[in-house]
Amino acid sequence: PRSAVRILLPMVVDLAEIVATRALIERLAKEMGNEEKIELGVMIETPSAAVLADQLAQEADFFSVGTNDLTQYTLCMDRTNSALASRVDGFHPAVLRLIALTAQGASKHAKWLGVCGAMASDPLAVPVLIGLGVRELSVSPAVIPEIKALIRKISLADCQSAAQTALQQTSAEAVRASIKARWPWLAAL
C-alpha cells in the first residue's frame, strides 16, 4: 500500500541527492512526531538519472519519467525554441533507450514506474511505453477514454515486441513507421 505522503524529486542526477533528501525528510518527520513512512520518488528527467536508474531504485520508492524534459535534455534542444521545437521528439531511439534503462532499473528493484509528459497521452507511444515496462500513464483527461480503449486492444507480448523493434530503429520517424506497420489502425488515432 502507498503511504499517505509521497514526495517526487525533480531533476535528480545521482544517488547522493536521494540519500541526502531522505535523511532530511526522516529527520524532519521525526521532529514532528510523524512515524509514517514517507515515500520518496524520482522524476527521471535527466539522462544521468535514466542511466543510473538501477542505482537510484535502490533508494527511491518509485519513478516517474518526465518525457518532455528527458527528451529535451537527451537531444540537447530547447523545446521552447521555435526553430528547434519540431526536432524535440520523444520517439527518438536515444530517448526510448533511456526509458528502457529506467524500466530495467525499476524492475530489478520492484519499483513502480510511471510516465508523464506528452508521450503518455500519445496513442502511438503507449504500446512502446507499455512494452518497455511502464505500468502507469499520466494522461490528459481528454484522452483517457481513447488511451483506455487502445490498451484493451493490444497485448503485452505485442507491446514488448514493438518496443524491442523501436529500440533498434535509427530515427524517430522509423520508430513511428514501425508502430504504424504493426498496428495500422493506430495511425488514424
Side-chain angles (χ1 to χ4, degrees):
R2 290 184 176 170
S3 68
V5 177
R6 302 175 86 209
I7 297 173
L8 186 59
L9 299 177
M11 297 296 166
V12 171
V13 296
D14 62 33
L15 185 62
E17 291 175 309
I18 303 168
V19 171
T21 302
R22 185 173 300 281
L24 176 62
I25 290 168
E26 288 175 356
R27 181 179 59 81
L28 293 172
K30 184 177 180 181
E31 287 175 10
M32 294 171 39
N34 180 8
E35 294 183 23
E36 181 183 357
K37 179 177 177 6
I38 296 172
E39 290 188 26
L40 186 59
V42 173
M43 280 293 290
I44 305 296
E45 301 169 294
T46 65
S48 61
V51 170
L52 297 176
D54 177 38
Q55 292 178 4
L56 301 180
Q58 294 174 35
E59 191 67 31
D61 295 306
F62 61 96
F63 288 152
S64 182
V65 177
T67 60
N68 297 348
D69 283 330
L70 182 61
T71 300
Q72 174 176 286
Y73 298 129
T74 300
L75 302 179
C76 294
M77 292 183 200
D78 181 359
R79 67 180 187 252
T80 64
N81 181 329
S82 60
L84 298 174
S86 66
R87 296 195 56 215
V88 181
D89 193 333
F91 285 86
H92 191 286
V95 175
L96 296 178
R97 287 181 182 200
L98 289 174
I99 294 170
L101 279 174
T102 301
Q104 291 165 9
S107 177
K108 180 177 178 182
H109 298 282
K111 301 299 169 93
W112 176 90
L113 172 64
V115 167
C116 60
M119 285 187 77
S121 294
D122 186 330
L124 279 179
V126 168
V128 173
L129 293 171
I130 291 170
L132 292 175
V134 173
R135 294 299 175 258
E136 187 169 310
L137 301 167
S138 178
V139 303
S140 303
V143 299
I144 290 172
E146 177 183 354
I147 299 298
K148 282 180 145 182
L150 181 160
I151 291 170
R152 288 185 192 108
K153 292 180 183 177
I154 55 179
S155 74
L156 179 57
D158 282 345
C159 291
Q160 291 168 332
S161 176
Q164 291 310 305
T165 299
L167 291 173
Q168 301 310 311
Q169 301 307 310
T170 59
S171 68
E173 295 78 18
V175 169
R176 281 190 180 82
S178 73
I179 298 165
K180 291 175 184 177
R182 184 178 296 266
W183 294 290
W185 54 270
L186 269 176
L189 297 179

